[in-house]
Amino acid sequence: MPEESPLIQSLRTAVTAAPSDVPLRVHLAELLLEAGHHDAAVTEAAVALQHAPGDPLVRDLMTRAMSPSSPSTPPQNVTPEPAQAPAHQPTDTGPRTGFNWQAAEDQIGDAIPPRFVEAPLSTDGSGDPGDAAAWDVTAPGPVRLADVGGMQEVKERLEAAFLAPMRNPELRKLYGKSLRGGLLLYGPPGCGKTFIARAIAGELGANFLSVSVNDVLDMWIGNSERNMHEIFQTARRQAPCVVFLDELDALGAKRSRTAHSGMRNTVNQLLTELDGIDSAANEGVFVLAATNVPWDVDIALRRPGRLDRTLLVLPPDTPAREAILRYHLRERPIENVDLGKLAKATDGLSGADLAHLCEAAAENALLDSARTGTIRMISMKDLLSTAKATVPSTEPWFAAARNVAMFANEGGMYDDLVAYLRKKRKL
């Protein structure tokens, strides 16, 4: 292999300083080709093709570089054969017809990555990138209401107000029961509102589309409203589909308290989408929403025909607490644990509190095992002592809800909450 000349070396330095300069790189490739460095010339020509794939000079250079048996420059003193072509034959500026471009592509495939990737379209057009959903839609999951421990009253209300009419279209038609509107779940945080929403989707055999404020709000004017519309359009394409609006107080806050016009427009767009729930275009789209502070939700969202059915989701009752504790302890090393007794000792704790209780008890046993060097199981004593030290996270919520129940229960909107507070002697 001949050594590179000082001119080639200086050109390499220049190309390194300006890697996107195609003419400079072509000049370097020409010099390499003349000097007999065919492999190096191919590499430089390949990079030049990457930057200028349509340049006929670059393609011709690649043709000559990939043909080392041919002279690097066209022959000068060759007697032409008698021409049969017309007198005004057009100049050929494209690639030479005798060159095997497929073989060349196979040899330099690693040097030139593909610039565009196209997915084949299916016969029904579903492969069109424009049909791709921008939102994550979860397929019907295995969770059912039977998987929700306890909460029998909640299940019965769900069955009467929401599930039975949807499961029995003939009875619904007979009694003139309308499916217009949605269901609003409210209550203290950590009590399973999202889990119940997924269970409803499982009962209906429907897809599940969870929407939070981060999915909707955008810094550019008009994009938030467009995002809201596209969410419902995605649900219509994926029907049957449950649209779950998480933290509705953020997505649908009272417009009278909203200073930013963009947020008000987003609420207006949500109202428009909800008004279409009973139309033919929204067949199979079911709307659920959840909030910790329903009194901060715009009143227009709760009028008949929108989110007019409400369901209070309270801290889990004794059977529910036992089921939750069993779930969180199922893969932990425990001994002599009385779940019934533990469930009674955790009255008032939310599902999130119970999960934290099991985590804290496991942490105590782990640290004790690390200190003593002897591995021991999680005992009932660990769980009871942790339960005694756990303060219910729902207490601040009930403190705020008490004032609402006493002074803002217009039309009996919070009668269920009032009944619970009286039962627990919190009112």
Side-chain angles (χ1 to χ4, degrees):
M1 178 66 67
E3 295 184 359
E4 294 183 349
S5 66
L7 178 58
I8 292 178
Q9 293 176 2
S10 63
L11 271 178
R12 281 194 181 279
T13 304
V15 167
T16 303
S20 60
D21 190 331
V22 174
L24 190 62
R25 194 178 291 274
V26 169
H27 186 40
L28 172 60
E30 291 279 7
L31 291 178
L32 289 169
L33 193 58
E34 292 176 1
H37 300 284
H38 291 279
D39 292 341
V42 168
T43 302
E44 298 300 332
V47 178
L49 265 179
Q50 183 179 358
H51 288 288
D55 191 327
L57 295 178
V58 178
R59 293 175 68 88
D60 183 67
L61 172 63
M62 176 60 77
T63 300
R64 290 186 284 114
M66 291 296 294
S67 303
S69 60
S70 302
S72 59
T73 58
Q76 301 296 325
N77 299 317
V78 178
T79 303
E81 297 180 0
Q84 301 294 329
H88 298 286
Q89 183 176 1
T91 302
D92 182 13
T93 59
R96 298 184 180 181
T97 56
F99 184 71
N100 189 343
W101 282 96
Q102 183 61 46
E105 183 179 346
D106 293 340
Q107 293 183 40
I108 63 172
D110 294 336
I112 305 178
R115 300 179 69 241
F116 302 101
V117 178
E118 295 183 1
L121 293 178
S122 59
T123 55
D124 60 357
S126 60
D128 188 353
D131 291 338
W135 317 100
D136 293 330
V137 179
T138 306
V143 180
R144 300 289 187 272
L145 280 181
D147 299 316
V148 180
M151 298 188 177
Q152 193 59 36
E153 185 178 351
V154 171
K155 295 177 183 177
E156 291 175 357
R157 290 204 56 188
L158 278 173
E159 186 71 27
F162 201 72
L163 295 175
M166 291 182 178
R167 288 203 195 99
N168 302 279
E170 295 300 325
L171 286 176
R172 186 174 73 240
K173 183 178 180 181
L174 174 64
Y175 288 100
K177 173 66 175 175
S178 173
L179 285 182
R180 188 176 183 184
L183 178 67
L184 175 62
L185 306 172
Y186 79 96
C191 292
K193 294 184 286 295
T194 302
F195 186 73
I196 290 174
R198 289 189 179 275
I200 293 174
E203 288 287 335
L204 297 173
N207 294 315
F208 188 81
L209 176 55
S210 180
V211 183
S212 66
V213 65
N214 292 333
D215 299 321
V216 176
L217 293 189
D218 194 282
M219 65 181 292
W220 303 110
I221 295 175
N223 277 8
S224 298
E225 299 93 296
R226 185 187 64 183
N227 290 342
M228 183 70 73
H229 176 68
E230 289 181 353
I231 285 169
F232 278 85
Q233 285 291 82
T234 300
R236 293 172 188 122
R237 288 194 298 266
Q238 300 286 340
C241 183
V242 170
V243 179
F244 179 58
L245 305 175
D246 199 9
E247 304 297 342
L248 183 64
D249 51 288
L251 284 171
K254 288 184 176 179
R255 287 168 291 177
S256 59
R257 299 181 182 177
T258 304
H260 196 277
S261 60
M263 193 65 230
R264 289 197 297 271
N265 292 338
T266 303
V267 178
N268 291 337
Q269 184 65 41
L270 176 56
L271 294 172
T272 301
E273 300 296 338
L274 289 175
D275 282 338
I277 290 303
D278 198 33
S279 66
N282 287 285
E283 184 69 25
V285 177
F286 314 111
V287 180
L288 301 178
T291 180
N292 299 329
V293 283
W295 42 86
D296 286 345
V297 174
D298 194 284
I299 191 65
L301 283 169
R302 302 188 58 184
R303 73 142 172 85
R306 290 171 181 163
L307 297 172
D308 50 2
R309 291 185 284 272
T310 60
L311 182 63
L312 175 61
V313 181
L314 293 165
D317 53 18
T318 302
R321 292 197 300 275
E322 185 173 342
I324 293 170
L325 289 167
R326 186 184 302 277
Y327 175 82
H328 288 291
L329 293 173
R330 72 192 187 285
E331 295 181 354
R332 289 188 164 103
I334 58 174
E335 62 176 354
N336 299 326
V337 172
D338 186 347
L339 285 178
K341 181 178 179 181
L342 185 59
K344 291 179 181 178
T346 53
D347 186 24
L349 296 185
S350 67
D353 293 336
L354 294 172
H356 172 71
L357 183 151
C358 296
E359 184 72 23
E363 184 178 284
N364 290 339
L366 185 152
L367 291 176
D368 193 22
S369 299
R371 280 194 299 265
T372 61
T374 303
I375 297 177
R376 69 172 181 83
M377 301 291 188
I378 302 172
S379 66
M380 187 68 176
K381 181 180 179 182
D382 294 319
L383 293 165
L384 287 176
S385 61
T386 306
K388 186 177 180 181
T390 302
V391 178
S393 62
T394 58
E395 287 303 318
W397 186 88
F398 281 114
R402 186 184 303 112
N403 295 329
V404 175
M406 291 176 61
F407 306 111
N409 189 23
E410 299 92 350
M413 187 178 299
Y414 302 112
D415 282 349
D416 289 348
L417 177 59
V418 172
Y420 178 81
L421 291 174
R422 286 176 176 167
K423 179 181 178 181
K424 293 293 182 178
R425 297 181 180 178
K426 296 176 180 291
L427 191 63

